[in-house]
Amino acid sequence: MDKDKLIKYRQAVQNLLSRYVAEDVTSEDVEVQLIFDVERDHYQWMNVGWEGLKRVYRSIVHFDVRDNKIWLQQNLTELNPAEDLISMGVRREDIVLGLQPPYKRPYTNYGT
């Protein structure tokens, strides 16, 4: 991957997740976690804790950066992270909706 592009994409994903997390409203028993594994290029927004007797362990949004593209692996929000990344300067064809089955990706209007 082009080094400048890699740096740009890592920053875009980290900035977007940081912005999303700032608006996360959880209880005092649920921790909001940002996980940035820059070495392996995995980035997640997690909720971990307890709601009463129910265990909370959710990956809210998960991105990977690989193959010169940003892969959206999980999105449990009403937000549109792919379009938010585009507004941050990421090329549409460099975003892959990994949360969609491979046969649907050519029809998503994003990268494959």
Side-chain angles (χ1 to χ4, degrees):
M1 175 176 244
D2 175 296
K3 187 176 179 179
D4 291 335
K5 187 176 182 181
L6 177 61
I7 291 168
K8 176 184 175 182
Y9 284 5
R10 283 176 173 165
Q11 289 176 336
V13 167
Q14 290 176 28
N15 290 340
L16 184 61
L17 286 175
S18 296
R19 191 174 84 211
Y20 285 172
V21 163
E23 299 174 14
D24 188 353
V25 179
T26 60
S27 71
E28 63 184 47
D29 296 325
V30 177
E31 181 183 1
V32 177
Q33 296 183 352
L34 275 180
I35 301 169
F36 296 163
D37 180 353
V38 179
E39 183 178 328
R40 293 171 197 84
D41 283 313
H42 304 293
Y43 306 89
Q44 292 188 61
W45 160 19
M46 301 279 301
N47 286 150
V48 179
W50 292 90
E51 290 175 345
L53 299 175
K54 183 180 174 193
R55 177 72 173 150
V56 174
Y57 186 81
R58 291 187 279 270
S59 174
I60 308 298
V61 177
H62 174 180
F63 291 105
D64 292 327
V65 178
R66 66 175 196 210
D67 303 326
N68 294 312
K69 298 182 181 186
I70 297 174
W71 288 66
L72 177 59
Q73 304 288 17
Q74 173 84 310
N75 180 19
L76 298 181
T77 73
E78 302 277 326
L79 304 168
N80 191 337
E83 288 300 316
D84 289 342
L85 286 169
I86 290 167
S87 72
M88 297 169 75
V90 175
R91 295 174 44 213
R92 179 176 293 278
E93 56 271 14
D94 285 349
I95 299 170
V96 178
L97 301 183
L99 48 79
Q100 292 289 340
Y103 73 89
K104 286 187 178 181
R105 291 183 200 148
Y107 308 104
T108 63
N109 204 22
Y110 295 99
T112 56

